[in-house]
Amino acid sequence: MVSVATLGSHCALQVLKGAKDEGFKTILVCEKKREKLYRRFKFIDELIIVEKFSDILNQEIQDKLKQQDAILIPHGTLIAQMSSEEIESINTPVFGNKWILRWESDREMKEKLMREAALPMPKPVTDPKDIEKLVIVKRQGAAGGKGYFMAANEEDYNTKRNQLISEGVISKDETLYIQEYAAGVLAYLQFFYSPLTNELEFFGVDQRHESDIEGLGRIPSEQQLKSKKVPSFNVIGNSPLVLRESLLDEVYTMAENFVKASAKLVPPGMNGPFCIEGVYDENAQFSAFEFSARIVAGTNIFMNGSPYTTLIFDEPMSMGRRIAREIKEADTNNQLKNITT
Ligand code: ATP
């Protein structure tokens, strides 16, 4: 019988609770400093304690996972803390498509895939000289918004970049990605695509709460103007959102296009959970600034199901549980190879 493993961070609790509910043995690869936290949860059957997450590449840990027929569920921490090469070299079967995670981490590849999926995107700006409208400046990979900043023109860009370098937030030789700022209502659209049934499921919507950009909105403009601090987009938590029903058709279409584009550019395609992240403007037009090709932490809101999963399943269904259900189905029908890489 296969078991389900993940790294101790991000959405590990949801993933392993879901796996337990579906009858799997659960394994957490856990950093020493978090052991106390995770031991509180009885649905975690085994903790493999490591110094750092990349120790998962050590033969000894891979052997332990192999002995238990573990399937590793990737999440944002794996991407944030390991390089694409390291992720691709993991011998343990990874749920979904581990090759697509490189497309999530590399801004140029990301843009290419989003373009292929015909997702409407805020315009990228290749040179700080060309900044004409308000832009957001981002770092590579899943930095969780840390060190991101807004700039109105080249001078503003240079001042803020230099300030963040001197504060040690970003490094001097870091390549930054500049994109036009899209103003509106944030919406992170969560999906699951099953290659077993060829069906796309819309799982829910969340919004990220980011510090200290949100804090800035709570102080009067007089103090805002006096502040010399460059506000960041460091994610602190998430809250749920339901969309106007008239927007749902387009939501499905965007995700279907994304699944098709992924199948074309990154075989075996976008299997399992993913998220399209963006902003609805004043005309309810969506602009996607990002995708995540794996489970997102915003699904943690819906551990007991979301308004949208209620429409699909007659039982509480979290994304973690949905993943485990897919593994169970595939295992029963001898199709584990079709849902892992
Ligand atoms: P993740 O942790 O999801 O991988 P990330 O580090 O790749 O995130 P983004 O999701 O691209 O970063 O951006 C972080 C935050 O910055 C977003 O949640 C959003 O608030 C803001 N943001 C990013 N791009 C834009 C944009 N073009 N217009 C407006 N806001 C944006």
Side-chain angles (χ1 to χ4, degrees):
M1 170 82 176
V2 295
S3 55
V4 172
T6 199
L7 304 186
S9 188
H10 196 265
C11 56
L13 292 171
Q14 183 204 158
V15 165
L16 296 188
K17 175 69 167 66
K20 194 76 204 166
D21 288 344
E22 290 295 304
F24 287 101
K25 177 178 178 189
T26 57
I27 304 169
L28 187 79
V29 179
C30 182
E31 287 179 319
K32 240 188 209 135
K33 62 180 184 202
R34 300 241 177 108
E35 180 177 356
K36 190 163 167 231
L37 168 70
Y38 285 108
R39 290 238 184 254
R40 294 174 191 272
F41 301 97
K42 303 291 171 251
F43 54 83
I44 303 177
D45 295 317
E46 184 181 335
L47 270 81
I48 298 180
I49 304 296
V50 292
E51 285 297 329
K52 53 185 186 322
F53 287 129
S54 56
D55 290 349
I56 199 173
L57 295 169
N58 296 351
Q59 198 54 47
E60 188 200 340
I61 311 270
Q62 300 222 15
D63 287 348
K64 261 192 197 166
L65 292 169
K66 193 163 182 213
Q67 276 158 18
Q68 320 224 41
D69 266 337
I71 292 179
L72 181 71
I73 315 301
H75 54 54
T77 303
L78 188 81
I79 296 178
Q81 306 217 353
M82 285 165 69
S83 69
S84 298
E85 289 75 19
E86 286 175 326
I87 295 172
E88 286 162 6
S89 74
I90 296 174
N91 287 333
T92 310
V94 173
F95 185 79
N97 180 358
K98 70 178 172 189
W99 309 107
I100 202 170
L101 300 177
R102 178 185 284 275
W103 291 68
E104 173 181 336
S105 297
D106 182 300
R107 296 265 173 218
E108 270 171 36
M109 291 172 91
K110 171 173 280 180
E111 227 183 276
K112 184 171 173 196
L113 184 48
M114 289 173 81
R115 219 166 253 135
E116 180 71 31
L119 286 172
M121 275 184 289
K123 224 173 89 196
V125 179
T126 39
D127 194 313
K129 283 193 191 70
D130 300 330
I131 301 174
E132 286 168 354
K133 291 184 184 160
L134 187 63
V135 294
I136 178 162
V137 185
K138 308 184 191 188
R139 304 168 70 192
Q140 298 282 337
K146 206 159 186 201
Y148 294 13
F149 61 94
M150 285 197 255
N153 51 43
E154 187 188 4
E155 192 193 340
D156 193 24
Y157 170 90
N158 286 330
T159 312
K160 286 176 177 158
R161 179 172 169 267
N162 290 339
Q163 185 179 332
L164 290 174
I165 291 171
S166 69
E167 288 169 4
V169 179
I170 57 178
S171 66
K172 215 164 77 197
D173 35 306
E174 205 168 325
T175 318
L176 299 175
Y177 178 84
I178 311 172
Q179 188 177 56
E180 280 185 1
Y181 186 81
V185 173
L186 288 175
Y188 295 72
L189 312 169
Q190 309 162 1
F191 305 91
F192 186 94
Y193 177 75
S194 168
L196 303 179
T197 60
N198 291 325
E199 270 179 41
L200 173 77
E201 296 155 11
F202 174 44
F203 251 73
V205 195
D206 72 281
Q207 289 195 314
R208 280 175 31 166
H209 294 283
E210 295 159 332
S211 204
D212 51 350
I213 191 73
E214 290 194 13
L216 202 63
R218 300 184 61 174
I219 59 174
S221 59
E222 204 187 331
Q223 272 76 35
Q224 287 184 16
L225 290 169
K226 280 184 199 146
S227 167
K228 289 274 170 289
K229 198 171 171 306
V230 180
S232 178
F233 288 76
N234 194 13
V235 61
I236 302 299
N238 305 70
S239 63
L241 190 72
V242 280
L243 293 175
R244 282 170 63 170
E245 199 156 310
S246 57
L247 297 174
L248 291 187
D249 193 38
E250 194 209 355
V251 164
Y252 278 96
T253 306
M254 287 193 293
E256 273 165 2
N257 288 343
F258 187 72
V259 168
K260 274 187 216 142
S262 311
K264 186 172 160 198
L265 296 185
V266 208
M270 186 59 265
N271 298 337
F274 66 100
C275 184
I276 298 175
E277 302 158 13
V279 171
Y280 281 98
D281 72 8
E282 74 273 28
N283 299 315
Q285 292 296 320
F286 191 73
S287 196
F289 51 71
E290 162 83 314
F291 71 80
S292 297
R294 36 78 196 174
I295 183 169
V296 288
T299 58
N300 286 340
I301 301 164
F302 306 122
M303 296 215 201
N304 236 345
S306 78
Y308 298 103
T309 60
T310 303
L311 303 172
I312 314 175
F313 304 96
D314 291 323
E315 60 194 317
M317 186 59 69
S318 69
M319 191 63 94
R321 188 166 188 180
R322 180 65 187 87
I323 292 170
R325 178 78 49 102
E326 187 85 343
I327 297 174
K328 202 152 98 178
E329 296 270 331
D331 197 19
T332 311
N333 300 310
N334 233 347
Q335 287 192 299
L336 281 177
K337 287 224 150 35
N338 295 340
I339 61 155
T340 55
T341 42

